[in-house]
Amino acid sequence: MERFRIAVAGASGLIGGALVRSLTADGHEVVRLVRRAPRAKDEVRWDPEGRRVDPGVLAGCDVVVNFAGAGVGDRRWTDAYKTQIRRSRVLGTAALAGAIAELDEKPRVFVNGSAMGYYGETGDRAVDESAPPGTGFLPELCVEWEGAAVPAQEAGVRTVFTRTGLVVARGGGAWGRLFPLFRAGLGGRMGDGRQYWSYIALHDEVAAIRHLIDTDGLSGPFNLTAPTPLTNREITAAMGRVLHRPTLFAVPAPVLRTVLGEMAGDVLGSARVLPRRLLESGFTFAFPDIEGALQAALAEAQG
């Protein structure tokens, strides 16, 4: 197997951390971009919001991966936090894309994070990568986020955008909050439960990213979601079966809006997103169904 030198921004996050563990286990050399003073020999400092990254940091890298950014679900969406979410993603991407464009020897691929939030509310309508962006904060953010990578694209670097769904994992994201509630028997549908949730097992998320890195010719947006999105009601039932807990409690939509503010729209909204391009590229999901994804998350936590 060919070994690469890979720079990863956002290596402390759920997806970035899992990707780094996978890459290092297979013998790849990983350079982690951090915002603080480096503490290990594989760390280098960068300033994403200041749009500063020394192009020399990326010299010799075959691949650059960017999953840096303030967590969308980490706290209530105040105007100030929405600004932080936007700046952390857009300015960081612009910094990396600009540094890549300056290199004499450029990386073979730039993988930049994005999200299924690009499509906004889709209701019962299934969408793939050919669909236009939706309206609202998340779609507008994703358009700007992906647009910030243009310098790398114009420099001739193969650029991939991972429009990730809800990652099924114990260590973070939406499911990081759901698992404890359901284990305590307090889980249940959210709102009327008819909204579609497009999910992906953490294992498949990492495998898909590596597939996109390794497969020459793949560029542009790829939806990283399982092939069959389910409704919140169906996922709630699956959680109950896997964890052997009742799912009697339902959280009314008005309560979610009171607690979460504008972010409640992301929980109550319906996104039926299909991974058409990923499947067409030859990728095979290890956990295409929700019960398998949940079991995989539990097994990873125990391991």
Side-chain angles (χ1 to χ4, degrees):
M1 182 180 67
E2 189 176 2
R3 300 292 195 273
F4 297 138
R5 177 179 169 87
I6 303 174
V8 179
S12 62
L14 174 66
I15 297 171
L19 177 63
V20 167
R21 291 190 295 273
S22 174
L23 292 170
T24 54
D26 283 343
H28 296 287
E29 179 186 356
V30 175
V31 178
R32 294 184 291 163
L33 276 61
V34 298
R35 291 172 293 170
R36 50 168 172 75
R39 299 172 186 163
K41 63 180 182 180
D42 65 341
E43 294 182 342
V44 294
R45 191 168 190 172
W46 75 313
D47 179 11
E49 294 200 28
R51 298 184 64 171
R52 289 193 294 272
V53 55
D54 181 357
V57 166
L58 306 180
C61 287
D62 304 287
V63 181
V64 177
V65 179
N66 178 31
F67 287 111
V72 171
D74 286 359
R75 63 181 77 166
R76 187 182 177 93
W77 287 359
T78 62
D79 288 342
Y81 192 60
K82 285 166 66 176
T83 298
Q84 183 180 342
I85 291 172
R86 176 192 165 277
R87 287 179 59 85
S88 65
R89 284 166 168 74
V90 175
L91 300 185
T93 298
L96 287 171
I100 287 170
E102 290 183 31
L103 293 171
D104 292 329
E105 293 188 17
K106 297 175 175 53
R108 55 187 292 175
V109 59
F110 178 34
V111 177
N112 200 68
S114 188
M116 70 174 184
Y118 177 95
Y119 305 104
E121 169 72 39
T122 76
D124 293 338
R125 177 175 55 93
V127 297
D128 61 25
E129 294 87 353
S130 65
T135 58
F137 172 66
L138 283 180
E140 291 168 5
L141 167 66
C142 290
V143 169
E144 193 173 1
W145 189 4
E146 294 180 12
V150 164
Q153 293 174 299
E154 291 182 340
V157 176
R158 180 167 69 89
T159 302
V160 174
F161 302 104
T162 56
R163 293 178 181 168
T164 297
L166 298 169
V167 179
V168 185
R170 287 282 297 275
W175 257 274
R177 297 184 179 188
L178 289 177
F179 272 115
L181 289 174
F182 278 78
R183 274 200 177 281
L186 300 176
R189 62 177 172 80
M190 299 182 184
D192 62 18
R194 291 181 292 185
Q195 68 273 28
Y196 276 90
W197 279 16
S198 297
Y199 62 89
I200 184 169
L202 179 59
H203 173 96
D204 283 332
E205 173 78 10
V206 171
I209 294 167
R210 296 196 55 175
H211 170 78
L212 294 171
I213 289 172
D214 293 338
T215 308
D216 291 336
L218 299 182
S219 63
F222 286 82
N223 295 335
L224 270 56
T225 57
T228 308
L230 298 174
T231 65
N232 175 259
R233 185 186 297 272
E234 291 170 322
I235 288 175
T236 295
M239 290 281 285
R241 289 193 299 271
V242 170
L243 295 174
H244 306 292
R245 293 292 189 274
T247 55
L248 304 176
F249 295 92
V251 184
V255 173
L256 282 171
R257 293 191 180 96
T258 299
V259 173
L260 300 178
E262 187 178 346
M263 188 173 64
D266 197 37
V267 173
L268 296 168
S270 185
R272 193 176 183 183
V273 180
L274 305 180
R276 177 182 61 83
R277 295 194 68 211
L278 190 60
L279 292 172
E280 288 177 351
S281 73
F283 181 75
T284 300
F285 284 84
F287 305 102
D289 61 273
I290 188 60
E291 294 199 13
L294 292 169
Q295 296 285 9
L298 294 173
E300 287 176 0
Q302 292 167 359

